């Protein structure tokens, strides 16, 4: 009897986390299992985006394994900080690194090891496992976490200690990337960054995806978080320091009660407490916790428009996957960021909304009023949906991924 090929996925985020990296890693792992591969996951305890161990996992032992939909998930209860800062993030990474190394012994065989990065340090145990099992190593970069921390100001780039640390991290990163058979990422600008950082001159394009059925404006019901009577601007996702919340605050200063506009922010994250404090004086701003994935279509399609304000310094270190759901909802989007970013190109190609390259709240406010007072903005929303569901089709991307894996093992 022919033995199934075995794939080990090392990731910081996985089911039941159903947003961002956790969602996509869970989906492609399930797809591979359905294709007949034996899939095993080495990960931590679910905590994202709340930065708290999920209630149903809180009292479980530090080393815990479970099987979900035929996939064995091998977990370690990593340190989760109560106060989110650079030091706390490093401690969390080191904790998960330690647990991952100890859990390697539970993998008896593997033909392919896939390491999901935002944390570069997680590549080392993946490399060790691939060497021990004589397996191919695939590194998939969802975020350039260290670069992003520098670009967004989480780390002080001018601190002499960090300048020394940066050189060491980049050297380690290059060594790790060069050790892989395949390096992939989610945007073309991030692929170019891989070429700069390593010897890989043809990295694999493995973008995040969206399903036209799972986010469907033709089948949604109005979500209770949004007021149908008012013009609703929605942000749904991680509330972190990657975003430019100062623009949001400046925009709120311009909105009048008579505009009948509400801003709805659904999510959690490291910056959530600060944001709630800064916006508490605006009674048209509503905050809600993250919704489960099965509610996401109703939430996104219930909005009149979506917004995402990014820091100008962030260009090629991240590609926010949330824009695919925003676009698939067939609602226009208002996005700010760097003119050279991948998101800027997508917005230009799709004609699915407005992209702002200046921190100009007045310009954004004017566009919101234009959208609100225009009787028919359906064409902009439909253009966004058509672009997202064809260019980033879930089925096509996963089929191509499967074909690539078959060439390796």
């Amino acid at each position: 009897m022919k033995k199934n090929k075995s794939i080990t996925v090392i990731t910081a985020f996985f089911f039941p986390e159903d947003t961002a990296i956790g969602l996509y890693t869970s989906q492609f792992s399930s797809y591979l299992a359905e294709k007949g591969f034996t899939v095993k996951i080495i990960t931590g305890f679910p905590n994202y985006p709340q930065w708290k161990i999920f209630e149903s996992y809180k009292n479980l032992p530090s080393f815990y394994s479970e099987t979900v939909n035929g996939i064995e998930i091998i977990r370690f209860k990593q340190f989760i900080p109560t106060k989110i800062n650079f030091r706390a993030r490093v401690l969390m990474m080191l904790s998960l690194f330690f647990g991952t190394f100890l859990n390697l012994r539970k993998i008896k065989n593997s033909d392919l090891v896939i390491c999901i990065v935002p944390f570069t340090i997680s590549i080392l145990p993946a490399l060790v496992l691939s060497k021990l099992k004589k397996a191919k190593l695939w590194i998939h970069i969802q975020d350039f976490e260290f670069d992003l921390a520098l670009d967004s100001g989480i780390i002080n780039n001018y601190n002499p200690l960090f300048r020394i640390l940066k050189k060491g991290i980049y050297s380690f990163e290059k060594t790790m990337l060069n050790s892989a058979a395949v390096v992939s990422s989610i945007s073309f600008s991030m692929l170019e960054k891989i070429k700069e950082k390593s010897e890989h001159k043809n990295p694999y394009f493995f973008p995040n995806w969206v399903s036209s059925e799972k986010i469907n404006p033709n089948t949604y019901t109005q979500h209770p978080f949004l007021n149908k009577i008012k013009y609703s601007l929605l942000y749904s996702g991680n509330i972190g320091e990657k975003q430019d919340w100062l623009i949001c605050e400046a925009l709120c200063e311009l909105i009048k009660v008579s505009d009948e506009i509400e801003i709805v922010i659904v999510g959690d994250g490291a910056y959530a407490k600060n944001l709630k404090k800064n916006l508490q004086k605006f009674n048209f701003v509503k905050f809600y916790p993250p919704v489960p994935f099965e509610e996401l279509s109703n939430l996104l399609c219930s909005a009149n428009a979506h917004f995402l304000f990014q820091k100008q310094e962030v260009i090629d270190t991240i590609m926010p996957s949330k824009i695919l759901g925003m676009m698939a909802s067939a609602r226009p989007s208002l996005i700010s960021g760097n003119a050279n970013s991948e998101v800027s190109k997508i917005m230009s190609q799709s004609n699915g909304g407005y992209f702002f390259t200046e921190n100009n709240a007045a310009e954004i406010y004017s566009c919101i009023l234009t959208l609100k007072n225009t009787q028919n903005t359906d064409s902009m929303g439909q253009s966004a949906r058509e672009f997202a569901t064809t260019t980033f089709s879930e089925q096509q991307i996963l089929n191509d991924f499967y074909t690539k894996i078959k060439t390796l093992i």
Side-chain angles (χ1 to χ4, degrees), residues 279-341:
L279 300 183
Q280 63 183 352
K281 60 184 175 181
F282 304 109
N283 58 15
F284 55 82
V285 179
K286 312 293 182 187
F287 285 90
Y288 296 99
V291 300
F293 182 72
E294 56 266 24
E295 284 185 34
L296 188 60
S297 181
N298 289 343
L299 178 73
L300 297 179
C301 297
S302 294
N304 295 105
H306 301 279
F307 71 92
L308 170 62
F309 302 141
Q310 303 174 107
K311 290 183 175 178
Q312 293 289 326
E313 298 81 7
V314 178
I315 303 175
D316 54 6
T317 55
I318 188 172
M319 166 66 182
S321 58
K322 63 176 68 65
I323 70 165
L324 301 180
M326 292 158 56
M327 296 172 75
S329 72
R331 305 294 183 261
S333 296
L334 300 125
I335 301 177
S336 72
N338 193 289
N340 297 317
S341 67

Side-chain angles (χ1 to χ4, degrees), residues 384-398:
R385 175 172 170 79
E386 183 178 351
F387 181 87
T389 56
T390 55
T391 309
F392 298 97
S393 161
E394 177 180 18
Q395 196 59 48
Q396 186 61 55
I397 290 168
L398 290 180

Side-chain angles (χ1 to χ4, degrees), residues 223-281:
H223 197 281
F225 287 178
L226 293 102
N227 187 336
K228 197 170 185 178
I229 297 172
K230 295 193 174 181
Y231 192 82
S232 299
L233 298 171
L234 174 67
Y235 174 85
S236 176
N238 178 55
I239 304 173
E241 297 180 57
K242 304 170 188 175
Q243 294 85 32
D244 191 343
W245 295 110
L246 291 177
I247 294 183
C248 185
E249 189 172 351
L251 174 63
C252 289
E253 295 282 1
L254 299 173
I255 294 174
K256 306 177 183 67
V257 175
S258 59
D259 290 332
E260 290 292 307
I261 290 172
E262 68 171 359
I263 291 181
V264 179
I265 299 173
V266 178
D268 207 338
Y271 196 71
K273 189 179 292 186
N274 288 338
L275 186 63
K276 289 176 183 178
K277 181 181 177 182
N278 294 343
L279 300 183
Q280 63 183 352
K281 60 184 175 181

Side-chain angles (χ1 to χ4, degrees), residues 341-396:
S341 67
E342 191 93 1
V343 180
S344 172
K345 295 169 188 170
I346 286 174
M347 291 301 292
S348 175
Q349 292 167 7
S350 68
N351 193 31
Y354 296 99
F355 191 87
F356 307 92
T357 58
E358 303 289 338
N359 296 333
N360 190 333
E363 183 185 3
I364 297 171
Y365 176 59
S366 175
C367 286
I368 292 169
L369 293 182
T370 299
L371 286 173
K372 178 178 180 289
N373 296 322
T374 300
Q375 292 298 314
N376 187 1
T377 58
D378 287 351
S379 60
M380 185 177 284
Q382 287 299 331
S383 293
R385 175 172 170 79
E386 183 178 351
F387 181 87
T389 56
T390 55
T391 309
F392 298 97
S393 161
E394 177 180 18
Q395 196 59 48
Q396 186 61 55

Side-chain angles (χ1 to χ4, degrees), residues 204-221:
Y204 181 72
F205 181 50
F206 184 34
N208 292 333
W209 53 83
V210 68
S211 165
S212 60
E213 293 304 314
K214 292 172 186 173
I215 307 295
N216 194 339
N218 301 314
T219 59
Y220 86 100
T221 56

Side-chain angles (χ1 to χ4, degrees), residues 60-78:
L60 295 174
S62 294
F63 290 92
Y64 176 73
S65 295
E66 60 183 326
T67 300
V68 178
N69 297 327
I71 297 174
E72 184 180 357
I73 308 169
I74 303 165
R75 300 187 184 273
F76 172 74
K77 188 179 286 185
Q78 72 276 41

